[in-house]
Amino acid sequence: MATTLTNKDFKSDQEVRWCPGCGDYAILNSVQNVFPKLGIPREKFVVVSGIGCASRFPYYMDTYGFHTIHGRAPAVATGVKMANPELSVWVVSGDGDALSIGGNHLIHAMRRNVDIKVLMFNNRIYGLTKGQASPASELGKKTKSTPMGSADAPFNPLAIALGANARFVARSVDIMAGHLRVVLEAAARHKGSAFVEIFQNCNIFNDKAFDAWTEKDVRDDRMVSLDPGEPIVFGKEKNRGIALDCLEPKVVSFDGDVPDEVLRWDPSRTDPTLSFMMAHLDDRPNFPLPIGIFRQVDEPTYEQRVHEQIETAQSKRGKGDLQGLLASGNTWVV
Amino acid sequence: MGTADSGTMKDPSTKTELPSVVIRLAGDSGDGMQLTGTQFTTSTALSGHDLATLPDFPAEIRAPAGTMNGVSGYQIQFAGTDVHTPGDSPDVLVAMNPAALRANVGDLVRNALVLVNVDSFKPKDLAKAGYENNPLEDGSLSGYRVIEVELTRLTRQAVDDLGLDTRSADRCKNFFALGMMFWLFERPMEPTEKWLREKFANRELILEANLRALKAGWAYCEATEVFAERYVVPRAAAEPGTYRNISGNTATALGLLAAAERSDLQLFYGSYPITPASDVLHEVAKYKEFGAVSFQAEDEISAVAAAIGASYAGSLGTTCTSGPGMALKAEAMGLATMVELPLVVCNIQRGGPSTGLPTKTEQADLLQSLFGRPSETPTPVVAAATPSDCFAMAYEAARIAVRSMTPVIFLSDGYLANGAEPWRIPNVEDLPDIPVPQPNPENFLPYLREPETLARPWARPGTPGMEHRVGGLEKEDGTGNVSYTAENHERMVHLRAEKIQKIADYIPEQSVDGPDSGELLVVGWGSTYGAITGAVEHARREGLSVSHAHIRYLNPFPKNLGDVLSSYRKVLIPEMNLGQLALLLRGMYGIETESFTKVQGKPFTEAEVFTKIREMAS
């Protein structure tokens, strides 16, 4: 690149139109701060979205962008990436878009290991359609569509991604800009499918949905960051850690040095068992909710494999000769 | 029993010359009748005959053996002059079991030759087929020339010393029957021998067994005079050129590839398996050395969505399906209309609605093609008339999609998809040019249109300085910025419609076979071409004045179509639906039409169309 890019280079001329106070603003800001750092020319970014509040995202990024239809962004992005593997392809989606109407495309993009980065803004509500329960809404949640409380149990988005064999799985929070940037940058630099759940506050229809974990005064005790190579330690005093008790996690308290029994986080394990355990850690009473990188496994990508087959065919059989192909098989001359 | 060679043996029987022959091969779906038919077709094509074929197989891969539901058939008509259809009524039926006989005997011409495998006419076989009496004994076949052959026993004998188990030996009996057909019609066996040697290159025993069965079938006819005579069909006098036999689905795949090559675009083909379209996917998946990317998607929606994504990134995005899949793709096609990207959607129609008749043919998706999306979503539609025409029209679909930056629907159907005919191989350089709308770097706006076509420029991601956003929301022309104003929306709706109408400026005018005005015009579209052409020729031989217009561009229609239609006193429209084209033409041109419909999962016969023509013309 001839010139160094800054966040301004990624701001389009369109007026950003989310509700005042929406968590989307902070995420947009973080993305616009991370993109210039990646060493990728601006014209190589493609941001693809589906439908929902989050999906307005591409209009505000001065990159190539495609606002598609509800739930289908991972499929469209798969086509973009297969057609041109040189592009850096990002999908911006929400919990309704990604987990409900688009669930099938999400899991298949993940299992194929298409090198696309899926940012799922999770506000646990349908915002654009004005406040119905989403597949991430908690059981019993009262909304316009569930006046007596939601009767259907929610998805655990990270467990879905892990179950679909996403090679990179992470979680961060809209208001934790520093953490979010680290996660976004790691996702960007990972080669392969990446799924990032971002807690995003919808201050109109589901305000303070994550406050119990993410407010500054409780954050250190109620969340734990999974950082590659680091022990899993949390608490204001950094005096508690996650250890294993046979097949169950346990919280250990300590003074001074971190005891050996505290797990040192290694997201590069191919076996996703521990990643699953972390995705479900906070299902247990008094356990912190993990954020950070749950899984990061290197494997050849789908588009790599597809294009390798093309190269193999071309090196074996030479570049295709259309006239020869048309006249292949049994022919006769009149 | 000795082996025989097609060229060296003395011919012991008399020969009768026939202008054309229709043969139907029928057996259990596991009997290999499709394979036998394909081999007979290849041999016939290489003999220089014109031909048309129709496979007819059950939806179940293996229905209960010996039952009516499990009968699989393959029909071929070949002749010395233009063959338009696989034929109305077979002259020859090969029936591998009672069910195959019972399912087909009603379609035969009087005095047809019926070859049956008498070994499979035991009481329990007859019961499975629902016969109370043995039709070979009760006189019910007295109107036909029945040839009883112990196909199973003779095949087992032919491979006796190879040490095969009975089941493997019995699987060769279709080649015994094929050998007999080759003898009867003096077909060369070499192409089949060559095919077997390639197919079973690593399975010597199976290869030897099949070769022996094939040759034994020939030799049996030679030695026993099982047939009283052999038949000779004079060759076709076709247009000079190099020919091959081609099915509609192969032609469709090749047409898409040719368009990608000629426009210098990478072919992206996204598809989800569905009958009868899957063979197009199988074909495109072979084109890797051409750089073609085939994508077997998780569902129909993903297949089209990925194709749209690929088009956005600069490839020629294509997808292929049948009725149920078309319904699922509708929303994404609307997106392609809105973002104005090239996209070819192939619909290999089948009987419906819902799962319907997956392996049978129908052409009832015409109105869905034109109108089957929410709101004002004008979409060009083209339709192939014959199996080989699938090449030309798939190419046309891609040419229109790229030139006018729009999704285009290409219609074929089960009959064209699986049917085959000789195809004069075109010269790649002679195919029409495909201009690709390029962005102007000096003055780039994503929706700045070419005046001639109203196509917007195709700026591919990766191009510096042309970063832009597209999406499904209504937009302002030029900038592409989201706009919800009332006047803008109305303007854009008209603009999108006008863009599609302008395609009529560069597609061919409607041609007419026959007088350009008069009493009766038969108008068809799609796979009815063969039956209508045959029927119209028949009518002319009977002295009737009748013309035929076959519409291949269904949206927009050719500019002169209204004039063509109004030049005749009566317009007859045969369709394999309840009159969809008739409804369109009446609506658009305000003309009276006579709709003639058939929805049986089977194509029209020439005789059906002829009878209707005679009724209307006299």
Side-chain angles (χ1 to χ4, degrees):
Chain A
M1 268 185 310
T3 54
T4 312
L5 295 168
T6 69
N7 59 357
K8 287 198 182 62
D9 294 306
F10 289 94
K11 292 182 179 173
S12 78
D13 60 356
Q14 298 296 295
E15 186 192 342
V16 184
R17 286 192 219 167
W18 285 307
C19 306
C22 175
D24 288 353
Y25 285 95
I27 303 172
L28 176 64
N29 211 19
S30 292
V31 171
Q32 285 168 337
N33 280 313
V34 169
F35 274 20
K37 288 203 221 160
L38 299 173
I40 298 170
R42 188 173 63 165
E43 65 271 14
K44 296 222 162 160
F45 285 99
V46 180
V47 182
V48 184
S49 66
I51 295 296
C53 295
S55 293
R56 298 297 173 93
F57 204 92
Y59 291 116
Y60 309 136
M61 295 291 295
D62 195 4
T63 61
Y64 284 93
F66 197 165
H67 180 210
T68 71
I69 43 179
H70 207 6
R72 318 303 171 199
V76 173
T78 296
V80 172
K81 189 67 184 178
M82 288 177 81
N84 185 356
E86 302 286 303
L87 300 170
S88 176
V89 182
W90 295 68
V91 169
V92 175
S93 185
D95 44 314
D97 192 55
L99 299 179
S100 204
I101 192 166
N104 201 31
H105 309 306
L106 177 75
I107 58 175
H108 286 277
M110 295 294 112
R111 64 129 177 130
R112 290 188 182 107
N113 200 25
V114 188
D115 185 15
I116 58 175
K117 316 301 165 197
V118 179
L119 310 183
M120 193 199 85
F121 300 5
N122 187 2
N123 54 16
R124 298 189 176 169
I125 199 83
Y126 282 89
L128 194 65
T129 49
K130 300 188 175 62
Q132 300 81 13
S134 93
S137 297
E138 56 277 23
L139 198 60
K141 182 163 193 80
K142 288 190 177 173
T143 70
K144 284 180 196 159
S145 61
T146 55
M148 293 180 70
S150 155
D152 52 343
F155 268 141
N156 177 326
L158 297 185
I160 296 283
L162 290 166
N165 197 18
R167 311 322 190 264
F168 183 100
V169 177
R171 175 153 67 199
S172 192
V173 182
D174 52 3
I175 55 170
M176 294 174 65
H179 188 270
L180 179 56
R181 285 178 209 174
V182 170
V183 165
L184 290 176
E185 195 169 337
R189 297 197 188 280
H190 173 76
K191 184 109 184 95
S193 57
F195 177 84
V196 182
E197 178 190 15
I198 304 170
F199 285 169
Q200 174 245 323
N201 192 46
C202 172
N203 58 325
I204 306 295
F205 296 110
N206 198 16
D207 197 19
K208 303 185 193 308
F210 304 103
D211 279 9
W213 296 275
T214 62
E215 275 296 277
K216 282 212 170 93
D217 52 336
V218 298
R219 186 184 285 180
D220 292 338
D221 288 323
R222 300 230 48 206
M223 294 201 296
V224 58
S225 185
L226 304 173
D227 303 318
E230 298 296 325
I232 306 176
V233 168
F234 66 103
K236 279 196 183 71
E237 311 298 329
K238 293 279 171 211
N239 60 352
R240 278 174 287 165
I242 304 295
L244 281 183
D245 178 8
C246 214
L247 293 175
E248 278 294 315
K250 64 175 179 182
V251 175
V252 292
S253 302
F254 55 87
D255 292 318
D257 291 344
V258 181
D260 284 349
E261 67 172 322
V262 170
L263 273 174
R264 197 168 277 278
W265 186 238
D266 177 11
S268 69
R269 294 165 55 96
T270 317
D271 176 355
T273 307
L274 284 180
S275 303
F276 270 111
M277 183 185 281
M278 291 304 147
H280 285 288
L281 193 69
D282 57 301
D283 295 350
R284 300 163 175 85
N286 303 317
F287 275 72
L289 180 143
I291 57 173
I293 297 170
F294 288 67
R295 192 173 193 232
Q296 183 168 10
V297 173
D298 286 326
E299 225 180 87
T301 65
Y302 177 57
E303 68 279 3
Q304 236 172 328
R305 289 186 161 128
V306 166
H307 285 272
E308 269 167 25
Q309 288 188 349
I310 289 172
E311 282 155 30
T312 306
Q314 289 181 335
S315 68
K316 268 192 194 160
R317 304 199 277 264
K319 288 230 164 158
D321 161 28
L322 181 60
Q323 194 67 54
L325 178 67
L326 296 186
S328 60
N330 289 309
T331 61
W332 66 96
V333 177
V334 174
Chain B
M1 182 180 296
T3 53
D5 212 351
S6 56
T8 54
M9 295 292 286
K10 196 163 68 71
D11 184 2
S13 51
T14 55
K15 292 184 187 180
T16 302
E17 196 171 293
L18 297 172
S20 72
V21 176
V22 179
I23 301 174
R24 189 180 294 174
L25 307 164
D28 251 339
S29 59
D31 276 340
M33 302 325 287
Q34 303 305 321
L35 175 63
T36 311
T38 310
Q39 289 304 317
F40 190 86
T41 300
T42 303
S43 184
T44 298
L46 291 174
S47 304
H49 287 100
D50 196 10
L51 60 87
T53 63
L54 174 67
D56 180 30
F57 40 81
E60 295 80 11
I61 302 298
R62 292 278 189 277
T67 63
M68 296 286 279
N69 284 336
V71 175
S72 168
Y74 187 102
Q75 185 165 316
I76 173 172
Q77 172 163 231
F78 63 99
T81 53
D82 284 355
V83 175
H84 305 300
T85 72
D88 291 358
S89 307
D91 305 299
V92 179
L93 172 69
V94 175
M96 302 299 277
N97 64 23
L101 175 68
R102 188 161 170 234
N104 293 293
V105 72
D107 296 338
L108 304 179
V109 297
R110 279 183 55 198
N111 209 29
L113 205 60
V114 180
L115 189 155
V116 297
N117 177 15
V118 73
D119 289 335
S120 66
F121 276 67
K122 307 226 160 53
K124 77 173 186 324
D125 304 314
L126 294 166
K128 272 191 227 164
Y131 273 124
E132 280 174 20
N133 301 310
N134 187 344
L136 303 178
E137 291 164 3
D138 68 3
S140 61
L141 300 175
S142 58
Y144 309 103
R145 291 174 286 158
V146 179
I147 312 285
E148 296 180 25
V149 181
E150 297 169 287
L151 268 182
T152 309
R153 190 181 69 81
L154 291 169
T155 304
R156 283 182 193 172
Q157 244 174 32
V159 302
D160 187 33
D161 58 333
L162 293 176
L164 287 177
D165 59 273
T166 314
R167 197 161 165 266
S168 301
D170 286 354
R171 288 185 64 167
C172 300
K173 64 179 185 291
N174 59 330
F175 278 91
F176 192 99
L178 181 62
M180 292 183 73
M181 288 296 109
F182 279 163
W183 182 88
L184 188 62
F185 295 99
E186 291 200 308
R187 306 280 82 155
M189 293 206 288
E190 290 77 6
T192 296
E193 291 176 25
K194 182 166 166 271
W195 180 86
L196 281 169
R197 284 183 211 287
E198 283 165 13
K199 169 93 177 164
F200 297 116
N202 301 315
R203 298 170 72 190
E204 233 167 90
L205 207 57
I206 302 294
L207 167 64
E208 180 61 24
N210 279 304
L211 283 175
R212 281 206 201 173
L214 178 71
K215 290 176 182 175
W218 179 291
Y220 176 70
C221 299
E222 193 88 17
T224 62
E225 296 185 16
V226 55
F227 297 115
E229 54 186 356
R230 298 176 86 172
Y231 299 101
V232 180
V233 178
R235 291 179 187 202
E239 201 179 336
T242 304
Y243 284 77
R244 67 180 278 191
N245 203 42
I246 198 160
S247 73
N249 273 351
T250 303
T252 301
L254 286 173
L256 296 176
L257 181 71
E261 288 277 305
R262 285 289 313 221
S263 53
D264 209 16
L265 297 168
Q266 171 181 267
L267 177 64
F268 181 95
Y269 183 88
S271 181
Y272 185 75
I274 185 169
T275 302
S278 302
D279 280 342
V280 184
L281 169 63
H282 306 160
E283 191 64 26
V284 176
K286 294 184 207 158
Y287 302 156
K288 298 217 174 356
E289 66 267 34
F290 291 85
V293 175
S294 63
F295 171 57
Q296 185 180 326
E298 60 271 21
D299 58 32
E300 295 282 0
I301 300 172
S302 170
V304 63
I308 292 169
S311 279
Y312 179 65
S315 292
L316 174 58
T318 64
T319 182
C320 187
T321 187
S322 190
M326 281 304 279
L328 290 167
K329 291 183 196 294
E331 187 196 10
M333 290 171 61
L335 174 69
T337 296
M338 204 63 162
V339 297
E340 304 189 33
L341 283 168
L343 173 73
V344 178
V345 179
C346 305
N347 178 1
I348 318 297
Q349 299 163 96
R350 66 189 213 187
S354 187
T355 311
L357 309 167
T359 60
K360 310 291 179 197
T361 197
E362 201 162 279
Q363 47 177 193
D365 297 350
L366 177 61
L367 294 180
Q368 182 207 35
S369 300
L370 268 86
F371 308 114
R373 290 156 300 283
S375 189
E376 296 289 348
T377 315
T379 307
V381 180
V382 301
T386 71
S388 71
D389 193 41
C390 288
F391 177 86
M393 295 319 285
Y395 188 94
E396 278 297 88
R399 182 172 78 102
I400 293 168
V402 171
R403 183 158 185 198
S404 291
M405 294 289 282
T406 177
V408 177
I409 293 172
F410 161 84
L411 291 175
S412 167
D413 63 29
Y415 175 57
L416 298 179
N418 294 313
E421 65 177 354
W423 177 45
R424 195 163 71 92
I425 299 163
N427 208 331
V428 171
E429 286 152 23
D430 297 341
L431 297 172
D433 284 335
I434 303 182
V436 180
Q438 301 292 352
N440 177 0
E442 304 302 314
N443 180 26
F444 171 72
L445 283 177
Y447 283 80
L448 200 62
R449 299 172 187 280
E450 286 183 7
E452 201 182 321
T453 56
L454 298 182
R456 75 177 191 92
W458 196 359
R460 294 86 187 271
T463 314
M466 293 189 191
E467 292 84 359
H468 67 280
R469 274 65 60 194
V470 296
L473 289 172
E474 185 58 284
K475 52 193 49 53
E476 183 182 81
D477 203 31
T479 63
N481 289 336
V482 174
S483 167
Y484 296 142
T485 67
E487 301 74 24
N488 179 73
H489 178 53
E490 184 151 46
R491 176 174 140 70
M492 292 302 286
V493 167
H494 282 291
L495 196 52
R496 284 187 288 265
E498 192 188 345
K499 182 177 90 163
I500 301 311
Q501 281 310 312
K502 274 183 168 290
I503 293 165
D505 293 344
Y506 66 81
I507 58 172
E509 292 211 326
Q510 182 61 49
S511 62
V512 176
D513 172 39
D516 56 13
S517 66
E519 181 68 13
L520 177 62
L521 175 70
V522 186
V523 178
W525 69 279
S527 70
T528 53
Y529 177 84
I532 295 176
T533 304
V536 165
E537 284 176 3
H538 186 179
R540 289 195 192 128
R541 285 197 299 273
E542 308 256 318
L544 300 170
S545 171
V546 50
S547 298
H548 175 199
H550 214 75
I551 306 177
R552 293 155 89 220
Y553 298 85
L554 290 144
N555 192 36
F557 283 127
K559 280 184 160 174
N560 63 332
L561 184 62
D563 292 341
V564 168
L565 295 171
S566 58
S567 303
Y568 300 86
R569 249 173 41 82
K570 295 178 194 163
V571 174
L572 168 66
I573 306 179
E575 285 181 273
M576 293 188 291
N577 58 46
L578 294 185
Q580 299 191 5
L581 179 66
L583 176 69
L584 266 182
L585 295 182
R586 283 199 298 268
M588 287 198 57
Y589 300 105
I591 54 159
E592 284 301 310
T593 61
E594 175 85 10
S595 186
F596 179 51
T597 69
K598 178 177 183 180
V599 276
Q600 300 176 2
K602 291 195 290 193
F604 281 104
T605 63
E606 286 185 12
E608 285 165 344
V609 180
F610 169 73
T611 306
K612 185 71 190 174
I613 289 173
R614 191 173 51 189
E615 176 195 313
M616 282 187 74
S618 49

Coordinates of all heavy atoms in Angstrom, one line a residue, chain B residues 152-182:
Chain B
T152 N -32.6 -65.1 -19.7 CA -31.8 -65.4 -18.5 C -31.0 -66.7 -18.7 O -29.8 -66.7 -18.4 CB -32.8 -65.6 -17.3 OG1 -33.7 -64.5 -17.2 CG2 -32.0 -65.7 -16.0
R153 N -31.6 -67.7 -19.2 CA -30.9 -69.0 -19.4 C -29.8 -68.8 -20.4 O -28.6 -69.3 -20.2 CB -31.9 -70.1 -19.8 CG -31.2 -71.5 -19.8 CD -32.2 -72.6 -20.3 NE -32.5 -72.5 -21.7 CZ -31.7 -73.0 -22.7 NH1 -30.6 -73.6 -22.4 NH2 -32.0 -72.9 -23.9
L154 N -30.1 -68.2 -21.5 CA -29.1 -68.0 -22.6 C -27.9 -67.2 -22.1 O -26.7 -67.4 -22.4 CB -29.7 -67.4 -23.8 CG -30.7 -68.3 -24.6 CD1 -31.5 -67.5 -25.6 CD2 -29.9 -69.5 -25.2
T155 N -28.2 -66.1 -21.3 CA -27.1 -65.3 -20.8 C -26.2 -66.1 -19.8 O -25.0 -66.0 -19.9 CB -27.7 -64.0 -20.1 OG1 -28.6 -63.4 -21.0 CG2 -26.6 -63.1 -19.7
R156 N -26.9 -66.8 -18.9 CA -26.1 -67.6 -18.0 C -25.2 -68.6 -18.8 O -24.0 -68.8 -18.4 CB -27.1 -68.4 -17.1 CG -27.7 -67.6 -16.0 CD -28.6 -68.5 -15.1 NE -29.4 -67.6 -14.3 CZ -30.4 -68.1 -13.5 NH1 -30.7 -69.4 -13.5 NH2 -31.1 -67.3 -12.7
Q157 N -25.7 -69.2 -19.8 CA -24.9 -70.1 -20.6 C -23.7 -69.4 -21.3 O -22.6 -70.0 -21.3 CB -25.8 -70.7 -21.7 CG -26.0 -72.2 -21.6 CD -27.0 -72.7 -22.6 OE1 -27.1 -72.3 -23.7 NE2 -27.7 -73.8 -22.2
A158 N -24.0 -68.2 -21.7 CA -22.9 -67.5 -22.5 C -21.7 -67.2 -21.5 O -20.6 -67.1 -22.0 CB -23.5 -66.2 -23.0
V159 N -22.0 -67.0 -20.2 CA -20.9 -66.7 -19.3 C -20.6 -67.8 -18.4 O -19.9 -67.7 -17.4 CB -21.3 -65.4 -18.5 CG1 -21.7 -64.3 -19.4 CG2 -22.5 -65.7 -17.5
D160 N -21.1 -69.0 -18.8 CA -21.1 -70.2 -17.9 C -19.7 -70.5 -17.3 O -19.6 -70.6 -16.1 CB -21.6 -71.4 -18.7 CG -21.7 -72.6 -17.8 OD1 -22.1 -72.4 -16.6 OD2 -21.5 -73.7 -18.3
D161 N -18.6 -70.5 -18.1 CA -17.3 -70.9 -17.6 C -16.5 -69.8 -16.9 O -15.4 -70.0 -16.6 CB -16.5 -71.5 -18.8 CG -16.3 -70.5 -19.9 OD1 -17.2 -69.6 -20.0 OD2 -15.3 -70.6 -20.6
L162 N -17.2 -68.6 -16.7 CA -16.4 -67.6 -16.1 C -16.4 -67.6 -14.6 O -15.7 -66.9 -13.9 CB -16.9 -66.2 -16.5 CG -16.7 -65.9 -18.0 CD1 -17.4 -64.5 -18.3 CD2 -15.3 -65.8 -18.4
G163 N -17.3 -68.5 -14.0 CA -17.3 -68.7 -12.6 C -18.0 -67.5 -11.9 O -17.8 -67.3 -10.7
L164 N -18.9 -66.8 -12.6 CA -19.6 -65.7 -11.9 C -20.7 -66.3 -11.0 O -21.3 -67.4 -11.4 CB -20.3 -64.8 -12.9 CG -19.4 -63.8 -13.7 CD1 -20.3 -63.1 -14.7 CD2 -18.7 -62.8 -12.8
D165 N -21.1 -65.6 -10.0 CA -22.3 -66.0 -9.3 C -23.5 -65.7 -10.1 O -23.5 -64.9 -11.1 CB -22.4 -65.3 -7.9 CG -22.5 -63.8 -8.1 OD1 -21.4 -63.2 -8.1 OD2 -23.6 -63.3 -8.2
T166 N -24.7 -66.4 -9.8 CA -25.9 -66.2 -10.7 C -26.3 -64.8 -10.8 O -26.7 -64.3 -11.9 CB -27.0 -67.1 -10.1 OG1 -26.5 -68.3 -9.7 CG2 -28.1 -67.3 -11.0
R167 N -26.2 -64.1 -9.7 CA -26.7 -62.7 -9.7 C -25.9 -61.8 -10.7 O -26.5 -61.1 -11.5 CB -26.6 -62.1 -8.3 CG -27.5 -60.9 -8.1 CD -27.8 -60.6 -6.7 NE -28.3 -59.2 -6.6 CZ -27.5 -58.2 -6.3 NH1 -26.2 -58.4 -6.1 NH2 -28.0 -57.0 -6.3
S168 N -24.6 -62.0 -10.7 CA -23.8 -61.2 -11.6 C -24.0 -61.6 -13.0 O -24.0 -60.8 -13.9 CB -22.3 -61.4 -11.2 OG -22.0 -61.0 -9.9
A169 N -24.2 -62.9 -13.2 CA -24.4 -63.4 -14.6 C -25.7 -62.8 -15.1 O -25.8 -62.4 -16.2 CB -24.5 -65.0 -14.6
D170 N -26.7 -62.8 -14.2 CA -28.1 -62.3 -14.7 C -28.0 -60.8 -15.0 O -28.8 -60.4 -15.8 CB -29.1 -62.6 -13.6 CG -29.5 -64.1 -13.6 OD1 -29.0 -64.8 -14.5 OD2 -30.2 -64.5 -12.6
R171 N -27.1 -60.2 -14.4 CA -27.0 -58.7 -14.6 C -26.6 -58.4 -16.0 O -26.6 -57.3 -16.5 CB -26.2 -58.0 -13.6 CG -26.8 -58.0 -12.2 CD -26.0 -57.2 -11.2 NE -25.9 -55.8 -11.6 CZ -25.5 -54.9 -10.8 NH1 -25.1 -55.2 -9.6 NH2 -25.3 -53.6 -11.2
C172 N -26.1 -59.4 -16.8 CA -25.6 -59.2 -18.1 C -26.7 -59.3 -19.2 O -26.4 -59.1 -20.3 CB -24.5 -60.2 -18.4 SG -23.0 -60.1 -17.4
K173 N -27.9 -59.7 -18.7 CA -28.9 -60.1 -19.7 C -29.4 -58.9 -20.6 O -29.8 -59.1 -21.7 CB -30.0 -60.9 -19.1 CG -30.9 -60.2 -18.1 CD -32.0 -61.1 -17.6 CE -33.0 -60.5 -16.7 NZ -32.4 -60.1 -15.4
N174 N -29.2 -57.7 -20.0 CA -29.6 -56.5 -20.8 C -28.7 -56.4 -22.0 O -29.1 -56.0 -23.1 CB -29.6 -55.3 -20.0 CG -28.3 -54.9 -19.3 OD1 -27.5 -55.8 -19.0 ND2 -28.0 -53.6 -19.2
F175 N -27.4 -56.9 -21.9 CA -26.5 -56.8 -23.0 C -26.8 -57.9 -24.0 O -26.6 -57.7 -25.2 CB -25.0 -56.8 -22.5 CG -24.5 -55.5 -22.1 CD1 -24.7 -55.1 -20.8 CD2 -24.0 -54.6 -23.0 CE1 -24.3 -53.8 -20.4 CE2 -23.7 -53.3 -22.6 CZ -23.8 -52.9 -21.3
F176 N -27.3 -59.0 -23.6 CA -27.8 -60.0 -24.5 C -28.9 -59.4 -25.4 O -28.9 -59.6 -26.6 CB -28.3 -61.3 -23.7 CG -28.5 -62.5 -24.6 CD1 -27.6 -63.5 -24.7 CD2 -29.7 -62.6 -25.3 CE1 -27.8 -64.6 -25.5 CE2 -29.9 -63.7 -26.2 CZ -28.9 -64.7 -26.2
A177 N -29.9 -58.8 -24.7 CA -31.0 -58.2 -25.4 C -30.5 -57.1 -26.4 O -30.9 -57.0 -27.5 CB -32.0 -57.6 -24.4
L178 N -29.5 -56.3 -25.9 CA -28.9 -55.3 -26.8 C -28.3 -55.9 -28.0 O -28.4 -55.4 -29.1 CB -27.9 -54.5 -25.9 CG -27.2 -53.3 -26.7 CD1 -28.2 -52.2 -27.1 CD2 -26.1 -52.6 -25.7
G179 N -27.5 -57.0 -27.8 CA -26.9 -57.7 -28.9 C -28.0 -58.1 -30.0 O -27.8 -58.0 -31.2
M180 N -29.1 -58.5 -29.5 CA -30.2 -58.9 -30.4 C -30.7 -57.7 -31.2 O -31.0 -57.8 -32.4 CB -31.3 -59.5 -29.6 CG -31.0 -60.9 -29.0 SD -32.4 -61.7 -28.1 CE -33.4 -62.2 -29.5
M181 N -30.9 -56.6 -30.5 CA -31.4 -55.3 -31.2 C -30.3 -54.9 -32.2 O -30.7 -54.4 -33.3 CB -31.6 -54.2 -30.1 CG -32.9 -54.5 -29.3 SD -34.4 -54.5 -30.2 CE -34.8 -56.2 -30.1
F182 N -29.1 -55.0 -31.8 CA -28.0 -54.6 -32.8 C -28.1 -55.4 -34.0 O -27.9 -54.9 -35.1 CB -26.6 -54.7 -32.1 CG -26.2 -53.6 -31.2 CD1 -25.2 -53.8 -30.3 CD2 -26.9 -52.4 -31.2 CE1 -24.8 -52.7 -29.4 CE2 -26.5 -51.3 -30.4 CZ -25.5 -51.5 -29.5

